[in-house]
Amino acid sequence: MKPFRAPSPADLVLVKAEQLAEHPDANARIGAVLHLSGAVADLVGLREHVTAHLDGLPCLTHVLTGNGPTARWRPADPEMTWHIRAQHVGGDPQALKAAVCLALREPWPEEAPAWRMILLHGHVSDGFALLYLSHHAVQDGANIVAVLDALFGPRPLPDQLPAPARDASRTPRAGLRQTARSTLTLLRHASRHRLWQSTSHPLSSRRHLLWAQVSSAGLRAAARAGGASINDVYLTTVVHAITHWAKDAWPLATGTVIPVMVPVNVRTPDEVAAPGNRLFLTRIDLPGGTMPVHRRLARTRAVTSVLKSAGHKTVLRAALTRLPRRLLELLVDASTAPGRLTICASYLVVRHPLHYGEAAVHRIDAIMCCPPGVPLAVVATTYEDTTSVSFRVDTALPGADSIPERWRQAVTELTRQAPPPQGSYPIGASTGRSPGAVDAPQRQLLEEGDRILPPP
């Protein structure tokens, strides 16, 4: 197995942030809940299934050791009896969420690869759930999708296998004009905003874990009508929900732009399953204040255009791989300083139907971490006909547990103004399409931000 490079400052800052957490709710765990229909899986068979795939998933067989400049990725064999276990959670669907919250708070041994899988059953009469968790320093969202695809997706054809490993120095280089333009963009969004620093409601390390789901068909219809991507629709409705909540609960966030940190995926094909983050967390300032949601979408679309630029992504990739380490550390430290931290919003697409044996995955609820100093972290996951959004919200924000429902209302309001195209269905309706079916317009509108950088 080829050795991996030392962790980036982005990896190490997630370790440091977890050490600053005053409650385990604010640790750096991320993951997903896979909801499956069918007979409950056999635990021994599940362990054997995952073991058979470990050679192709180095993110599951490496640990992060050392600190600072001495930190390194070291190979380590998972102990499957610890990494994969089963748990009966009772006959109430709410018991599933309680079990997930408890699993998120459990301590993990430092010497073991930082991931777990828990087979949860008993909360539904026909089916079970697989809870997959990882440390964000070891895996980012795109990496988790790659693990789920490898473990539960269709077997890839020979021409779909990852590209051979290559030297990172061969990745495309950006021109001087693009580098200057991207640098100015980053500097313009580096100012302190102090939007979430309140003396009456200081931020804490306690978190709500909340989910909300809508039909992906409605999001696609709104995206088509607005000439936007699904991610634009998602970001628009999240900010719309936040501004409506802020009118009653957080005056600092009224009548001003809402800064949002968005991870831009810069993985190359040979890094699909590599340990560590291959993302650049960049800030965009989305339109705040009171306005109709369709107008907010038009203004959001203009702001997010930079995130879809291949040239800009090339500059961000170069910043992660070519900047002197000390300079990159300063950049990461500055972006995570008090007064600059803000909402984090991610968007993931699981493109292939997933299953384990005869049991099919019918919904995926992602889990985002929300480190200390971050008021709210959200991640949307589009899988088949459902888009599920996970909210990790600081409990210090008054009434912020209402934001998921406000988000759902914003989606309804936006999609109501966009007549569904032929073949689409309203929110909440079943399409009856075959699992994993993706039409051409949907492929075009899937957010560019989750794609892997092409080889040179």
Side-chain angles (χ1 to χ4, degrees), residues 101-176:
C101 290
L102 287 175
L104 282 167
R105 297 168 182 161
E106 290 179 1
W108 291 358
E110 294 182 3
E111 67 278 4
W115 64 273
R116 292 202 74 177
M117 183 179 293
I118 305 176
L119 170 63
L120 301 170
H121 60 96
H123 57 288
V124 290
S125 58
D126 178 25
F128 59 100
L130 291 174
L131 169 62
Y132 176 76
L133 295 175
S134 179
H135 197 288
H136 204 338
V138 183
Q139 292 186 252
D140 54 29
N143 190 285
I144 285 180
V145 172
V147 169
L148 299 182
D149 277 340
L151 294 178
F152 307 113
R155 184 180 298 274
L157 298 174
D159 61 350
Q160 296 173 325
L161 293 172
R166 55 185 170 79
D167 193 323
S169 64
R170 294 178 57 196
T171 53
R173 292 181 180 272
L176 290 177

Side-chain angles (χ1 to χ4, degrees), residues 167-350:
D167 193 323
S169 64
R170 294 178 57 196
T171 53
R173 292 181 180 272
L176 290 177
R177 181 175 298 179
Q178 178 64 62
T179 300
R181 187 160 51 240
S182 295
T183 300
L184 287 174
T185 298
L186 294 175
L187 291 175
R188 189 164 59 247
H189 294 120
S191 61
R192 292 178 186 263
H193 51 79
R194 298 184 174 86
L195 193 63
W196 307 105
Q197 293 182 316
S198 168
T199 55
S200 57
H201 297 287
L203 298 182
S204 73
S205 288
R206 298 298 299 265
R207 302 288 183 259
H208 296 295
L209 171 61
L210 304 163
W211 285 296
Q213 296 86 27
V214 297
S215 167
S216 300
L219 298 180
R220 290 196 294 273
R224 289 188 181 97
S229 69
I230 296 178
N231 193 27
D232 291 336
V233 172
Y234 158 61
L235 291 173
T236 297
T237 50
V238 166
V239 170
H240 200 73
I242 289 170
T243 56
H244 278 253
W245 160 78
K247 284 191 302 183
D248 302 321
W250 202 266
L252 289 172
T254 58
T256 184
V257 297
I258 305 296
V260 178
M261 301 300 291
V262 179
V264 178
N265 179 20
V266 295
R267 281 184 185 267
T268 50
D270 55 298
E271 297 173 334
V272 165
N277 288 264
R278 303 296 195 278
L279 57 82
F280 196 102
L281 196 61
T282 186
R283 178 179 137 192
I284 55 176
D285 291 341
L286 295 178
T290 301
M291 68 182 73
V293 67
H294 67 275
R295 184 184 303 168
R296 196 184 303 278
L297 175 59
R299 295 179 60 180
T300 296
R301 183 186 61 192
V303 172
T304 60
S305 60
V306 66
L307 301 178
K308 305 165 190 175
S309 164
H312 185 61
K313 290 182 184 179
T314 300
V315 174
L316 299 184
R317 167 76 188 191
L320 284 179
T321 58
R322 297 195 181 110
L323 277 182
R325 184 176 185 86
R326 182 53 185 157
L327 185 57
L328 185 56
E329 287 175 348
L330 291 173
L331 181 62
V332 171
D333 289 344
S335 65
T336 56
R340 288 194 178 96
L341 289 173
T342 187
I343 298 162
C344 295
S346 302
Y347 177 58
L348 302 171
V349 180
V350 180

Side-chain angles (χ1 to χ4, degrees), residues 28-63:
R29 310 274 173 82
I30 61 174
V33 181
L34 278 63
H35 301 267
L36 296 94
S37 301
V40 177
D42 172 67
L43 179 60
V44 174
L46 180 61
R47 288 171 176 162
E48 292 174 349
H49 174 78
V50 176
T51 300
H53 289 79
L54 287 179
D55 286 345
L57 297 171
C59 55
L60 303 187
T61 59
H62 281 72
V63 295

